[in-house]
Amino acid sequence: MSDIEEIEVRGGQGQVLDPETYRDSIGTMEQSGKRRWVFPRKPKGKYTNYRNLVSYTLLIIYFTLPFIKINGNPLLMFNVIDREFFIFGQPFYPQDFFILTLGAIASLIFIIVFTIAFGRIFCGWICPQTIFMESIFRKIEYLIEGDRNKQMKLDRQEWNSEKIWKRSLKWSVYIVISLIITHFMFMYIVGYEQVFKIVSEGPFAHPTNFIVMILLTAAFYFVFAWFREQVCTLVCPYGRLQGVLIDKDTINVFYDFKRGENRSKWRKGEDRKAAGKGDCIDCHQCVVVCPTGIDIRDGQQLECINCTACIDACDEVMDKVGLPKGLIRYASENEIEKQTQFKFTGRMKGFAVFLLLLVGFLGYLLYSRGEMEAKFIKPAGSTFFVKEGKIINTYNYTFLNKTNEKKIVTIKVIAPAHGEITYSASSKIPVDRDKISKGTINISFPEDEMKLSKQNITIGVYDMKGKLIDSYQTYFEGPFKLQF
């Protein structure tokens, strides 16, 4: 098989399209709306190796994080059902929702700013859809059915024994992989112990969990076995957002049209420059490796996920024909048009600093939340009573320990400073880590100090070293007095 491959894709009825038709109708949909199946050639090269390294690292992280604990807490868990959230081992509660909201807003700003400066690199290098598709499912497909040409040949042939067993094997492996991914995803929601318990007890003991697991597995299978690149080209909102964020200074995968045009087939020994020809030899290798079925030479397109497969394919061809690499490369549109070398501009430096500040802000939000949350609420229907010249109010307290260690706390009235506290139990209140402690106290003030029927007071919660770890403002009731 020659290095310069024929452009061949499967249409809605399995027909073969000639190269010119393919170039006139780029994408995964025909003019009629039928699905055009894309058979990307297996990429190889420098960027592919880098992407594989990033993908395998992220996959290792995905499959190991659920088993890592810090101080007995999961490193990362989002249990929406039981409203338990752990980030880097720190527990978060519905009371901390504002922090998560601010974090989500900061993350959105991060994505927008990152896209303005560096384009859609996230899609090609970090996006879970790309990582699962290209680093797991596509590699399984290459292993079972072979590379591009063998896959197209298998697709065109009748359903004989070879096609049946290869397709059956591939689809069976896809189902198993989808099941594994779904189970690990559940570990991020309920923890690995609960997942193992559900699996060991069987579907009849947990029918709802079993049904949800099957539905999610079916969704994963559908996406990676059939829907594939259409997630990026038709569904993903980030792909649509990209069109309004990028400009001529955004770094993306670009074809250097000034160097490449006029494109023409390669002829050995020809002086292409003297003949008025560009460096592009029209070999279509950048097209056959594209997982979204586009021709990068047609300019920047929403379907491009910056996966760099076309860069490696083009560099390989340029190396074989003795032309400089970089005909397709990471660059900005201005860089291509002005034929300037890449440089880290002041604009990019500013965006990088802003991104670092956002990351710092997110870290500050996680670090700065209080150790404990305290509330003092008067019981419903309760009122004050007077005893021995003192006005007494009853309060129910609730302490939530947000740290990973047990706390022993005590309560003091901060303002007005003359308040006295009577405990229903010990004055030293234990609060276990990641737990809630409840109780009742009475607070009293001398009758002659209370001038209002309702007066604001501030109650503080202190640790055994005398450090104030939280305070709460409430009101104190007394007898109504006419002021003259």
Side-chain angles (χ1 to χ4, degrees):
M1 186 62 63
S2 65
D3 291 325
I4 310 304
E5 297 187 57
E6 176 190 9
I7 301 302
E8 193 173 6
V9 293
R10 186 180 75 186
Q13 301 298 322
Q15 70 269 26
V16 176
L17 306 176
D18 60 54
E20 291 301 322
T21 303
Y22 184 80
R23 288 199 300 273
D24 290 340
S25 54
I26 294 299
T28 57
M29 287 288 180
E30 297 180 16
Q31 297 292 336
S32 62
K34 291 181 179 179
R35 169 79 178 276
R36 177 182 290 117
W37 195 274
V38 179
F39 295 96
R41 196 192 75 186
K42 187 176 182 179
K44 59 181 179 179
K46 177 180 69 174
Y47 283 103
T48 299
N49 294 335
Y50 290 155
R51 286 179 59 232
N52 286 337
L53 179 61
V54 172
S55 297
Y56 295 144
T57 301
L58 292 175
L59 285 171
I60 291 172
I61 291 173
Y62 175 79
F63 288 116
T64 56
L65 272 187
F67 302 99
I68 300 176
K69 292 193 174 185
I70 298 178
N71 297 319
N73 292 330
L75 181 65
L76 201 65
M77 192 172 82
F78 298 93
N79 191 340
V80 180
I81 300 172
D82 296 328
R83 296 182 296 178
E84 291 182 344
F85 307 94
F86 294 91
I87 302 176
F88 301 121
Q90 292 296 318
F92 286 78
Y93 305 90
Q95 296 91 330
D96 299 316
F97 184 76
F98 77 97
I99 296 179
L100 299 178
T101 302
L102 291 175
I105 294 173
S107 300
L108 179 61
I109 296 174
F110 183 97
I111 292 173
I112 292 174
V113 174
F114 188 88
T115 303
I116 292 173
F118 304 107
R120 210 172 170 182
I121 294 176
F122 170 84
C123 296
W125 290 75
I126 305 176
C127 176
Q129 164 69 19
T130 302
I131 290 175
F132 286 137
M133 183 71 247
E134 301 302 327
S135 298
I136 297 181
F137 290 89
R138 189 89 71 188
K139 281 182 168 48
I140 292 171
E141 191 168 58
Y142 287 139
L143 184 64
I144 296 175
E145 296 185 354
D147 206 345
R148 168 186 164 79
N149 292 327
K150 291 182 179 180
Q151 289 181 26
M152 291 189 297
K153 179 182 177 182
L154 183 69
D155 184 69
R156 290 193 298 265
Q157 71 187 40
E158 299 295 329
W159 281 92
N160 54 20
S161 58
E162 180 191 12
K163 187 171 183 177
I164 291 174
W165 84 260
K166 283 187 175 182
R167 288 290 169 87
S168 299
L169 177 61
K170 182 181 76 171
W171 292 337
S172 298
V173 175
Y174 279 7
I175 291 174
V176 173
I177 297 297
S178 299
L179 270 170
I180 293 173
I181 294 174
T182 304
H183 279 76
F184 274 84
M185 187 183 71
F186 261 68
M187 291 180 186
Y188 283 95
I189 299 175
V190 298
Y192 73 89
E193 301 98 333
Q194 187 66 19
V195 170
F196 288 159
K197 178 183 177 184
I198 292 172
V199 172
S200 63
E201 293 178 354
F204 296 106
H206 303 275
T208 303
N209 299 80
F210 177 75
I211 292 173
V212 172
M213 192 81 71
I214 292 300
L215 291 176
L216 286 175
T217 300
F220 273 111
Y221 176 81
F222 170 76
V223 167
F224 296 112
W226 189 84
F227 206 51
R228 297 191 162 195
E229 72 284 341
Q230 293 188 121
V231 172
C232 306
T233 60
L234 300 178
V235 177
C236 179
Y238 181 47
R240 309 281 72 80
L241 183 65
Q242 178 199 18
V244 298
L245 292 179
I246 63 174
D247 57 24
K248 288 193 173 184
D249 290 318
T250 302
I251 301 299
N252 268 311
V253 173
F254 273 104
Y255 163 68
D256 190 342
F257 61 90
K258 287 205 169 183
R259 175 188 153 190
E261 302 298 322
N262 294 313
R263 68 184 76 161
S264 177
K265 295 296 182 182
W266 172 255
R267 290 183 181 178
K268 189 174 182 180
E270 180 185 32
D271 188 341
R272 296 180 66 86
K273 188 174 182 180
K277 298 177 180 179
D279 284 356
C280 178
I281 66 172
D282 206 21
C283 63
H284 301 289
Q285 296 307 290
C286 59
V287 180
V288 298
V289 296
C290 181
T292 58
I294 67 169
D295 189 339
I296 193 65
R297 299 172 298 173
D298 290 341
Q300 185 61 37
Q301 297 156 71
L302 288 176
E303 292 90 343
C304 178
I305 61 171
N306 280 212
C307 69
T308 70
C310 55
I311 297 180
D312 281 336
C314 185
D315 283 350
E316 181 184 14
V317 173
M318 292 293 103
D319 191 52
K320 288 180 179 179
V321 299
L323 293 173
K325 297 180 181 180
L327 182 59
I328 302 175
R329 63 183 185 272
Y330 274 123
S332 67
E333 190 173 348
N334 275 334
E335 183 184 337
I336 296 295
E337 291 179 351
K338 299 175 183 177
Q339 291 294 287
T340 57
Q341 293 294 323
F342 170 79
K343 60 181 181 179
F344 203 59
T345 63
R347 174 179 179 269
M348 295 177 65
K349 291 177 183 177
F351 279 134
V353 170
F354 185 64
L355 292 174
L356 289 175
L357 290 175
L358 276 176
V359 172
F361 174 66
L362 287 173
Y364 170 76
L365 288 177
L366 296 176
Y367 176 78
S368 63
R369 68 188 189 114
E371 300 177 6
M372 182 172 292
E373 182 171 317
K375 289 185 178 181
F376 296 86
I377 307 297
K378 291 181 63 64
S382 67
T383 185
F384 68 93
F385 61 94
V386 180
K387 183 179 180 182
E388 298 177 354
K390 294 182 178 181
I391 304 173
I392 302 172
N393 279 213
T394 301
Y395 296 89
N396 291 333
Y397 65 78
T398 301
F399 298 152
L400 173 60
N401 186 355
K402 298 180 180 180
T403 68
N404 286 316
E405 57 183 19
K406 184 177 180 179
K407 292 283 186 181
I408 305 294
V409 300
T410 188
I411 305 169
K412 297 179 183 178
V413 178
I414 298 177
H418 296 138
E420 296 181 2
I421 299 176
T422 304
Y423 296 86
S424 58
S426 172
S427 61
K428 297 180 180 180
I429 305 170
V431 188
D432 289 333
R433 70 183 186 94
D434 192 26
K435 297 295 182 182
I436 293 176
S437 180
K438 296 182 179 182
T440 303
I441 60 171
N442 289 330
I443 298 179
S444 62
F445 285 92
E447 189 174 1
D448 56 0
E449 288 190 11
M450 302 307 297
K451 307 298 183 183
L452 302 173
S453 59
K454 279 190 177 182
Q455 185 165 322
N456 290 332
I457 64 170
T458 303
I459 307 172
V461 180
Y462 296 80
D463 61 17
M464 290 296 96
K465 296 180 181 179
K467 176 186 174 183
L468 177 66
I469 56 179
D470 198 18
S471 62
Y472 190 84
Q473 189 176 78
T474 183
Y475 65 90
F476 188 90
E477 289 185 346
F480 179 74
K481 295 180 180 179
L482 290 175
Q483 301 293 329
F484 297 99

